[in-house]
Amino acid sequence: MNSRAHTPPLPYYEDVSPGTGCLPPRAWAPGSDAARLSLGGTWAFRLSPTAAAEDDAFARPGYDASGWDEIPVPAHWVLHGHGAPIYTNVNYPFPVDPPRVPTENPTGDHLRVFDLPGDWPAGGQAVLRFEGVESCARVWLNGEELGTFKGSRLPHEFAVAGLLKPSGNVLAVRVHQWSSGSYLEDQDQWWLPGIFREVTLLHRPAGAVTDFFVHASYDHVGGAGTLRVDAGPGGGRVTVPELGLDLATGESATLPVEPWTAETPRLYEGTLTTTGETIPLRIGFRTVLVEDGVFKVNGHRVLFRGVNRHEFHPETGRALDLATMRRDLELMKRHNINAVRTSHYPPHPAFLGLCDELGLWVIDECDLETHGFVDLDWRNNPVDDDRWTPALIDRAARMVERDKNHPSIVMWSLGNECGTGRGLSAMAEWVKERDPSRVIHYEGDLSCADTGVYSRMYAPHEEVAQIGTRTEAPWGDPELDARRRGLPFIQCEYAHAMGNGPGGLGEYQWLFETHERLQGGFVWEWIDHGFARHTPNGTPYYAYGGDFGEELHDGNFVCDGLLFPDRTPSPGLIEYKKVIEPVQIEGDGASGTVRITNGHDFADLSHLAFTWTYEAEGVAVGSGELAVPPLAPGESADLKLPAPTDTAPDDETRWTVEARLAAATAWGEAGHVVAWGQLPGVATIAPAPVAGTAAPRRDGDRIVLGPGTFDAATGTLTDLGGLALSGPRLDIWRAPTDNDNGAYWQPDERYGVIWRQLGLHRLRHRVDAVDLTDRELTVRTRVAPAATDIGLTAVYRWTAEGDRLRLAVSVTPLGTWTCPLPRLGVRLAVPGSLGAAEWFGGGPGEAYPDTRAASRLGRWALSVDELQTPYVRPQENGARADVRWARLTAPDGTGLRIEGHPPFWFTARRWTTEQLDAAEHTPDLVASPDTVWVNLDHGQQGIGSQSCGPGVLEPHRLLAAPAEFSFTFGPLG
């Protein structure tokens, strides 16, 4: 007998349907004059350990929930003391047996009793709308079941007019953490159940709009826009006063307009009016197409300078308010970002309205990812199982119908990391039929059979170059391969911004700007998803995967953004802003010429004001305005700089030219710096030589040379003009960055792991000789890890003149080094009172060999504490590049001056590299009151992007090779 014949039907939260009872999806209509009632606020809440632990009695009017807890809505219950968040990147946190989920299925019952306002209209219909619930909901109103739904980041509506009463309405919602829908929502983020977007009661008057579709195209040749608004059921009228338009729905009008672009986000205010409702419209005229293998808007190639954006707040999770959304977009615009991919689900609809207003290109992505099947060789993948296709199409339809009227959206994305399958093709066909005016995106199918753009993740620079010239390796079916080669290319994810990094941005951008087919990409990602927490003693920090007792987790891989969780820009965002700036400033400072190139796609330069500054030794000695013509996109102008100000003969001089907003915009104040460039003038980098006039002498267990006192046995400097210190001695270790440690699937260049295996974190220093001559102290050492014969010889040669002490270092590798070095330089310890740093070199922020585009040469001053970058997981940070000299001073003005030749990397911190390496969270770093550790590096290994992308490019690798460098020390005060 076949026992499966008697298997009972699956419960609603496990069946593969999208749900029951919901109304068809429709366009989002903010600002409608129809009555609405927000049902947000405090709800009664009960959490059960399983889906069936409680019956549905709670949904009946009169149920006593006085003993329940309370929870805000919108919210995630795991952020309010009920359970805990779970972070996984790929793996499902439950057994993979689609569509079944575990019996242990946390289930949150929500209750809200509400009255209708006194002015609630009589008659008509009413709709109960949920903007987002994770992951499956069952809904009752006044004891009547309305239905169920899945699709966490998508809207769902129920008709409720016949159930409403003037007062005492009981809304009951049962939410299951796990459901069949969870298999479609494996999106590299925290699993956060709950009603996390708004719940609203909407009145639908007789004659109200059921749905509407704004079609607003633009003919770039004739400069005309064509408008048609379709609306149902009975139609209405569309008015656009600024254009003098008054049309019936379904009718078209063509007339001269200003087009909408991300650079010039021109919106026309209009209204859609029917017999029962008036809806405000914000209309942007633009046309999207792929022509000759190039993605174009309004006839022009577009270059995406983009980011991927998850919705996240360090205290409220995915429950974001409007102010936070606006702040995100203003930050993007201020950092030259022009595009957003809504990874990996449609965002809150208000976010897209802000994109229309402020101006960003948007790839709107469906609420779909099945990545957890990849390690199962995609067995039973829902997107290739016809039983799931209705749910997939439902998700695509709810995205497209809700968001179709936003001019900012130029692509629909089917989802992310789902492999391939018939369900994806069915989604693509539905979307193309419903909205042929936009391009279809999906990265996971190399054949691009269903898409209008070729998209990849983390393709290395070499491959991107091949794609740009259409010489990439052939793939699969020749016909599909030819189709793929004929499409525009984007990197929907690249430059993994985890921890310190990403590196290699400039090389990517050069490729994007060089090859027409390469149309930019989207950095992964916008923000670190660290939850704000405090240690028992009240010290704040950010928690990541594993901090909540998860059985399976992916650690701090959830912290891979350009913003820290509190939305403070990271050095990576500052670097990205510089790399993608839409104005190029180049030239020859020595001859006093500068070339300005407009890198915008649509805007001329009339919105920018240009200034110049002439600097000597990092100090401005002259400044003024630079007259730049309003260059059209792609145009350049060569301009003459004014005659330089007289300076001292040995001063190093430099021109700095800046492009600033000439007037305030919706996202930036007048004077905001959009782009800048520096042009060397006269360079005199070498410090004044130390003649070596002082003679070293032994004094018991000490050696005295000029202002310095050394340990006679080890040759270690212990005192400089009365300033106690220790060192310097050779140092090659750094606390590995997330990109150093790399991705587990790329083992050959996981240098953080390789360095540790070699023992570079536990070097031993052997002193072979301490020699004195008439003018020099020479210390010869061998530096090496245990259990291997590789190492380095380091020879320190000390000379002195007056109060200046010079160290010349010679380093020679021993044995066969098969990996680059983390760093190469010296480390010394100075008194903790030296807490103020000043330097002439790159700044103000940190930089490394492949993250130094934003490092501006100048004279900078910060405290030692301010030199640190507080990455969520502590790691190497805080180096300043191209330093000519640095000073560390105490409040009384005493301290240490350091000059270097050639220019060096300068790092100072109140903990050792070893302590930094051992820390898992920022509170693990306990600042020493007694010591500041200083690294003076001749070289640093680059950063790369290998936490998920390519490693360090060859020019930025610090290979083990003979090296010579020098530093001159002198006491201050």
Side-chain angles (χ1 to χ4, degrees), residues 139-216:
V139 185
W140 297 262
L141 181 62
N142 292 328
E144 294 292 326
E145 182 170 350
L146 302 179
T148 65
F149 63 85
K150 312 178 189 83
S152 299
R153 271 67 69 173
L154 296 163
H156 296 83
E157 293 183 331
F158 298 98
V160 297
L163 301 175
L164 289 172
K165 52 188 182 180
S167 62
N169 293 283
V170 178
L171 176 57
V173 185
R174 172 164 284 175
V175 181
H176 305 287
Q177 175 158 12
W178 309 124
S179 70
S180 59
S182 301
Y183 285 101
L184 305 180
E185 297 173 5
D186 186 26
Q187 289 142 324
D188 186 10
Q189 61 179 337
W190 294 99
W191 299 87
L192 299 172
I195 305 173
F196 67 94
R197 289 183 186 161
E198 295 85 354
V199 182
T200 312
L201 183 67
L202 305 172
H203 183 244
R204 308 306 298 142
V209 178
T210 54
D211 193 17
F212 65 101
F213 198 161
V214 177
H215 305 274

Side-chain angles (χ1 to χ4, degrees), residues 7-8 10-11 13-15 94-103 179-180 183 388:
T7 301
L10 295 176
Y13 53 85
E14 286 188 323
D15 68 38
F94 48 79
V96 180
D97 183 23
R100 306 299 303 277
V101 294
T103 299
S179 70
S180 59
Y183 285 101
W388 293 80

Side-chain angles (χ1 to χ4, degrees), residues 732 751 755 792 811-813 817-824 849 938-942 952-963:
I732 65 170
Y751 289 128
W755 293 334
L792 302 158
V811 180
T812 305
W817 287 81
T818 58
C819 66
L821 302 176
R823 70 181 342 133
L824 180 64
H938 175 64
Q940 278 269 2
Q941 165 79 349
V952 178
L953 294 175
E954 195 69 37
H956 307 305
R957 297 185 182 187
L958 181 61
L959 302 180

Side-chain angles (χ1 to χ4, degrees), residues 731-914:
D731 189 19
I732 65 170
W733 178 243
R734 74 182 188 194
T737 67
D738 292 314
N739 286 303
D740 287 337
N741 286 331
Y744 68 87
W745 60 86
Q746 297 172 300
D748 292 345
E749 293 186 7
R750 297 187 67 193
Y751 289 128
V753 176
I754 293 169
W755 293 334
R756 201 177 300 276
Q757 290 171 344
L758 283 175
L760 302 191
H761 60 305
R762 48 175 174 78
L763 295 177
R764 295 293 180 262
H765 296 252
R766 187 183 73 207
V767 178
D768 289 336
V770 178
D771 298 324
L772 282 66
T773 66
D774 289 345
R775 294 289 180 266
E776 185 175 271
L777 166 64
T778 302
V779 182
R780 302 180 186 278
T781 69
R782 186 181 191 275
V783 183
T788 181
D789 60 354
I790 64 169
L792 302 158
T793 62
V795 179
Y796 310 93
R797 293 182 172 86
W798 293 94
T799 55
E801 179 182 22
D803 66 351
R804 302 171 72 220
L805 188 65
R806 181 178 186 268
L807 168 64
V809 183
S810 298
V811 180
T812 305
L814 300 172
T816 302
W817 287 81
T818 58
C819 66
L821 302 176
R823 70 181 342 133
L824 180 64
V826 296
R827 178 167 66 170
L828 67 154
V830 302
S833 59
L834 305 189
E838 182 184 6
W839 72 100
F840 175 32
E846 73 179 25
Y848 290 83
D850 53 353
T851 65
R852 65 195 297 173
S855 181
R856 187 189 299 212
L857 193 73
R859 191 174 295 195
W860 311 102
L862 291 171
S863 71
V864 168
D865 296 333
E866 290 170 331
L867 291 173
Q868 315 312 308
T869 303
Y871 293 111
V872 173
R873 185 193 72 82
Q875 55 198 272
E876 167 63 33
N877 73 90
R880 268 60 182 181
D882 302 313
V883 175
R884 278 70 164 146
W885 56 257
R887 297 188 184 113
L888 289 165
T889 56
D892 63 2
T894 60
L896 173 68
R897 176 185 170 102
I898 306 163
E899 301 173 12
H901 183 67
F904 58 98
W905 305 84
F906 168 63
T907 311
R909 53 174 69 106
R910 293 190 179 275
W911 38 76
T912 65
T913 301
E914 291 72 22

Side-chain angles (χ1 to χ4, degrees), residues 50-354:
T50 68
E54 302 285 350
D55 61 23
D56 59 6
F58 80 101
R60 301 168 193 161
Y63 181 86
D64 182 9
S66 59
W68 286 22
D69 292 320
E70 292 183 340
I71 195 170
V73 170
H76 304 281
W77 71 64
V78 293
L79 301 182
H80 289 270
H82 305 281
I86 299 170
Y87 169 59
T88 60
N89 170 25
V90 175
N91 295 320
Y92 291 106
F94 48 79
V96 180
D97 183 23
R100 306 299 303 277
V101 294
T103 299
E104 297 83 10
N105 187 359
T107 296
D109 291 330
H110 300 68
L111 269 180
R112 172 80 154 83
V113 179
F114 66 95
D115 301 333
L116 294 180
D119 59 354
W120 189 261
Q125 301 296 315
V127 166
L128 180 65
R129 182 179 178 91
F130 295 85
E131 297 292 351
V133 181
E134 183 177 330
S135 73
C136 174
R138 185 181 180 189
V139 185
W140 297 262
L141 181 62
N142 292 328
E144 294 292 326
E145 182 170 350
L146 302 179
T148 65
F149 63 85
K150 312 178 189 83
S152 299
R153 271 67 69 173
L154 296 163
H156 296 83
E157 293 183 331
F158 298 98
V160 297
L163 301 175
L164 289 172
K165 52 188 182 180
S167 62
N169 293 283
V170 178
L171 176 57
V173 185
R174 172 164 284 175
V175 181
H176 305 287
Q177 175 158 12
W178 309 124
S179 70
S180 59
S182 301
Y183 285 101
L184 305 180
E185 297 173 5
D186 186 26
Q187 289 142 324
D188 186 10
Q189 61 179 337
W190 294 99
W191 299 87
L192 299 172
I195 305 173
F196 67 94
R197 289 183 186 161
E198 295 85 354
V199 182
T200 312
L201 183 67
L202 305 172
H203 183 244
R204 308 306 298 142
V209 178
T210 54
D211 193 17
F212 65 101
F213 198 161
V214 177
H215 305 274
S217 61
Y218 181 73
D219 176 7
H220 69 280
V221 177
T226 300
L227 176 65
R228 186 185 86 246
V229 179
D230 298 328
R237 298 204 70 79
V238 175
T239 58
V240 187
E242 188 177 355
L243 296 175
L245 285 179
D246 186 346
L247 299 171
T249 55
E251 293 182 354
S252 297
T254 300
L255 72 172
V257 297
E258 298 174 47
W260 187 98
T261 75
E263 295 170 4
T264 56
R266 181 66 160 95
L267 293 172
Y268 290 88
E269 302 293 332
T271 57
L272 166 62
T273 303
T274 67
T275 57
E277 184 179 18
T278 297
I279 296 173
L281 304 177
R282 296 201 302 176
I283 302 164
F285 292 89
R286 57 108 188 94
T287 295
V288 174
L289 78 160
V290 173
E291 185 176 60
D292 298 327
V294 178
F295 178 87
K296 296 181 178 180
V297 177
N298 301 338
H300 294 271
R301 173 186 183 261
V302 168
L303 182 60
F304 294 114
R305 300 168 166 95
V307 291
N308 287 274
R309 175 186 176 269
H310 270 299
E311 292 184 308
F312 184 77
H313 188 282
E315 295 174 344
T316 61
R318 283 189 289 280
L320 266 61
D321 59 18
L322 187 63
T324 298
M325 298 179 217
R326 179 176 283 275
R327 183 180 177 191
D328 274 349
L329 287 170
E330 289 173 347
L331 279 169
M332 290 179 193
K333 293 290 287 188
R334 289 175 197 154
H335 289 86
N336 295 328
I337 290 165
N338 71 358
V340 179
R341 175 178 174 234
T342 69
S343 52
H344 299 293
Y345 42 83
H348 190 287
F351 179 82
L352 298 170
L354 292 172

Side-chain angles (χ1 to χ4, degrees), residues 391-406:
L392 302 180
I393 292 178
D394 178 78
R395 288 176 181 244
R398 291 187 181 279
M399 171 184 68
V400 171
E401 301 294 8
R402 189 196 76 169
D403 298 342
K404 58 183 177 280
N405 295 322
H406 291 284

